[in-house]
C-alpha cells in the first residue's frame, strides 16, 4: 500500500546537521486536493488510548514536524508528533505484545468528505516509529463523543489495511473507498510515534445544512468548493484562497512568482454545484507589496461551456477586502479569477445559492456516498 516501497524500515540515526537531509518522500498524486484533517477547517484529534511521550494534537499541526536533539523532558525525548509508550507482553514468558495489540487515535475531520489519499508522516521517528499502520473510517452525524464513536453500533470501514511503514518518511496511501467520511481511527501496530497525519480528498457537504443557510459561499472548501487548476503555485497553494476565515499572514493566501513576460496568472474553481452567484469578495489581506494589481472574474455553466466575463478587470488595493454586488445573478458551475500581471490574493468568496438542478444533484450525491 505504501507509494514507495523503499520507505519501509528504519532510517539512519540522526547524525547532525539538517534533520530533513535524509527524509524519505515522494510525489503523491492526491496532494493537490484539500486536506480534510486541516485544523483551519475544524479538524481535531479527539481521543487516543495513549500519548505518554508526545501529545496526540501534534498529528494535525499544519507545519512540518520539528526536531531538537537536545530537548528532553521528565518522560524522555520530546518529539513533535504523537508517541506512545513501548508495549509489553503479559508476562516474563510472553514479553512481546501480541499481533492484535495496537495504539489508536480518533480524528474528527474538519469537513466531511471522500478520502482519496492519506499520508502517515513519521518524520524524525527513526527507530521509534510503528511497525505498521492501519486507518478506518466512519460517517457519524452531529458531534459524537469519543465514547459514542467507539460504541459497537458504529460501522467502521477500512481505508488502509494494516501495512508496514518506514521511519523518517512520508508514507503515502491511495484510497479507493467511495463513501462519505466524518471520522477516522488511526492505528499504529503495536506502538511508536507518528509525526503528522494528512487526509486528502473532496468535501461532501450536507445538502440539508446548505439549504438551511440559503445564501452562502459557493466556493468555500468547507461547503464543497475546490480549486481545479492554477497557473502558478510557487510561493503558496491556490487552495488557500478558499480556506475558512480571513488570511492571518502572507503565506496564508495565494502568491505567484514575479512574471517577466506579458501574461497573467489565474485560478480555476469548481463550485459546490450549479448555482447563482450574486456577490463577490476578493481579499488581499497581508499582501502589501505583492498583491495583484488588477483582477477579473469569468464564469461558465458546465464543463464544456464558454467562459463569460462577469466582473470586468478592476483595480485591487493591497491588504484590502474588496466587495462587489453583481448587477444580476450569474448561473455557473465554474469560476476563473484572473490577476494582472502577477502577485496574489488571499481569499475569494462567491455568495449565492444552488439552482434547483444543482440542489437535486447535490442531494443525490449525498445519498450515493451514504450520507
Amino acid at each position: 500500500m505504501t507509494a514507495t516501497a523503499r520507505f519501509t524500515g528504519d532510517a539512519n540515526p540522526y547524525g547532525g546537521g539538517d534533520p530533513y537531509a535524509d527524509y524519505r518522500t515522494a510525489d503523491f498524486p492526491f496532494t493537490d486536493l484539500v486536506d480534510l484533517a486541516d485544523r483551519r477547517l475544524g479538524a481535531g484529534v479527539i481521543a487516543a488510548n495513549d500519548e505518554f511521550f508526545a501529545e496526540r494534537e501534534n498529528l494535525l499541526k499544519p507545519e512540518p514536524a520539528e526536531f531538537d536533539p537536545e530537548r528532553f523532558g521528565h518522560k524522555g525525548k520530546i518529539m513533535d508528533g504523537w508517541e506512545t509508550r513501548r508495549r509489553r507482553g503479559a508476562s516474563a514468558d510472553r514479553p512481546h505484545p501480541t499481533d492484535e495489540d495496537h495504539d489508536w487515535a480518533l480524528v474528527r475531520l474538519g469537513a466531511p468528505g471522500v478520502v482519496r489519499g492519506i499520508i502517515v508522516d513519521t518524520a524524525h521517528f527513526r527507530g521509534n516509529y510503528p511497525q505498521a499502520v492501519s486507518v478506518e473510517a466512519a460517517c457519524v452525524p452531529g458531534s459524537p463523543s469519543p465514547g459514542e464513536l467507539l460504541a459497537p453500533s458504529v460501522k467502521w470501514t477500512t481505508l488502509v489495511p494494516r501495512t508496514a511503514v518506514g521511519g523518517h518518511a512520508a508514507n503515502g496511501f491511495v484510497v479507493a473507498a467511495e463513501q462519505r467520511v466524518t471520522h477516522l481511527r488511526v492505528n499504529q501496530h503495536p506502538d511508536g510515534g507518528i509525526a503528522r497525519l494528512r487526509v486528502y480528498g473532496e468535501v461532501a457537504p450536507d445538502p440539508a445544512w446548505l439549504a438551511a443557510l440559503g445564501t452562502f459561499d459557493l466556493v468555500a472548501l468547507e461547503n464543497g468548493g475546490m480549486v481545479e487548476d492554477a497557473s502558478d503555485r510557487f510561493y503558496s497553494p491556490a487552495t488557500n484562497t478558499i480556506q475558512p476565515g480571513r488570511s492571518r499572514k502572507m503565506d496564508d493566501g495565494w502568491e505567484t512568482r514575479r512574471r517577466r513576460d506579458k501574461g497573467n496568472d489565474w485560478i480555476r474553481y469548481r463550485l459546490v454545484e450549479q448555482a447563482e452567484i450574486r456577490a463577490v469578495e476578493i481579499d488581499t489581506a497581508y499582501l502589501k507589496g505583492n498583491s495583484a494589481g488588477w483582477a477579473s472574474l469569468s464564469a461558465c455553466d458546465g464543463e464544456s461551456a464558454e467562459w463569460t466575463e462577469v466582473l470586468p478587470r478592476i483595480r485591487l488595493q493591497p491588504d484590502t477586502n474588496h466587495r462587489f454586488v453583481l448587477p444580476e445573478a450569474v448561473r455557473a458551475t465554474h469560476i476563473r479569477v484572473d490577476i494582472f500581471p502577477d502577485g496574489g490574493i488571499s481569499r475569494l468568496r462567491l455568495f449565492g445559492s444552488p439552482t434547483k438542478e444543482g440542489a437535486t444533484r447535490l442531494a443525490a450525491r449525498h445519498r450515493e456516498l451514504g450520507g
Side-chain angles (χ1 to χ4, degrees):
M1 284 291 295
T2 47
T4 308
R6 68 176 184 275
F7 287 1
T8 305
D10 288 347
N12 293 325
Y14 176 63
D18 178 8
Y20 273 105
D22 59 343
Y23 177 67
R24 296 175 287 180
T25 187
D27 291 329
F28 300 108
F30 45 74
T31 53
D32 283 340
L33 299 173
V34 59
D35 181 4
L36 300 172
D38 193 322
R39 284 286 302 170
R40 288 173 293 181
L41 286 174
V45 186
I46 60 175
N49 72 305
D50 183 61
E51 47 185 336
F52 186 85
F53 288 113
E55 297 84 0
R56 64 182 190 262
E57 290 85 358
N58 291 335
L59 278 174
L60 304 187
K61 284 183 178 179
E63 63 276 354
E66 297 181 353
F67 180 72
D68 182 352
E70 305 296 329
R71 193 178 181 204
F72 285 81
H74 293 294
K75 294 181 179 179
K77 181 74 186 72
I78 297 176
M79 297 293 289
D80 185 11
W82 168 50
E83 185 181 6
T84 65
R85 73 194 78 198
R86 300 186 188 217
R87 281 185 170 270
R88 300 298 187 222
S91 65
D93 293 334
R94 292 179 292 165
H96 303 101
T98 69
D99 288 343
E100 291 74 33
D101 287 341
H102 67 277
D103 293 318
W104 54 264
L106 292 177
V107 177
R108 179 191 65 244
L109 297 182
V114 181
V115 179
R116 302 299 186 192
I118 294 174
I119 292 180
V120 177
D121 190 345
T122 57
H124 316 303
F125 289 93
R126 296 169 179 268
N128 51 347
Y129 60 94
Q131 182 183 36
V133 299
S134 61
V135 182
E136 301 163 276
C139 184
V140 182
S143 304
S145 68
E148 291 169 329
L149 287 170
L150 295 172
S153 58
V154 174
K155 178 184 177 183
W156 290 90
T157 301
T158 299
L159 299 186
V160 178
R162 182 170 175 169
T163 308
V165 295
H168 196 45
N171 299 276
F173 304 90
V174 174
V175 176
E178 194 74 16
Q179 69 177 69
R180 188 173 186 264
V181 173
T182 60
H183 295 77
L184 297 181
R185 184 162 60 191
V186 180
N187 306 303
Q188 49 177 341
H189 308 266
D191 54 38
I194 299 170
R196 296 290 188 267
L197 176 73
R198 305 293 185 234
V199 184
Y200 296 98
E202 301 161 6
V203 175
D206 182 351
W209 173 254
L210 297 182
L213 293 179
T215 296
F216 59 90
D217 183 358
L218 300 160
V219 77
L221 281 178
E222 58 195 314
N223 293 333
M226 67 178 296
V227 169
E228 285 194 331
D229 201 2
S231 60
D232 188 287
R233 297 179 173 91
F234 189 81
Y235 286 113
S236 46
T239 300
N240 281 351
T241 60
I242 50 176
Q243 289 281 5
R246 292 199 75 199
S247 174
R248 292 168 292 177
K249 53 181 180 173
M250 191 173 71
D251 66 351
D252 193 19
W254 172 59
E255 182 189 357
T256 72
R257 73 191 83 195
R258 299 187 188 213
R259 275 191 172 267
R260 302 308 187 198
D261 59 21
K262 300 300 181 183
N264 72 283
D265 288 313
W266 51 268
I267 306 175
R268 186 178 72 243
Y269 303 89
R270 189 180 74 198
L271 308 186
V272 57
E273 247 299 345
Q274 184 192 62
E276 291 188 339
I277 306 165
R278 293 185 283 274
V280 177
E281 284 187 2
I282 301 175
D283 197 352
T284 58
Y286 289 94
L287 295 164
K288 299 180 179 181
N290 50 356
S291 67
W294 292 263
S296 66
L297 209 67
S298 300
C300 71
D301 185 15
E303 294 284 352
S304 58
E306 292 186 2
W307 291 92
T308 302
E309 188 174 73
V310 297
L311 185 66
R313 193 179 306 188
I314 45 91
R315 187 74 168 95
L316 297 182
Q317 300 300 319
D319 196 26
T320 300
N321 193 22
H322 309 75
R323 289 180 170 175
F324 310 93
V325 176
L326 299 179
E328 57 184 33
V330 173
R331 177 171 291 205
T333 57
H334 295 75
I335 285 287
R336 189 183 71 236
V337 61
D338 285 89
I339 63 170
F340 304 88
D342 55 23
I345 60 174
S346 59
R347 294 290 189 271
L348 175 71
R349 305 296 187 208
L350 304 174
F351 297 102
S353 53
T355 62
K356 182 178 179 180
E357 296 87 347
T360 299
R361 286 194 294 266
L362 197 61
R365 175 67 170 157
H366 188 65
R367 291 191 296 270
E368 287 173 8
L369 295 174

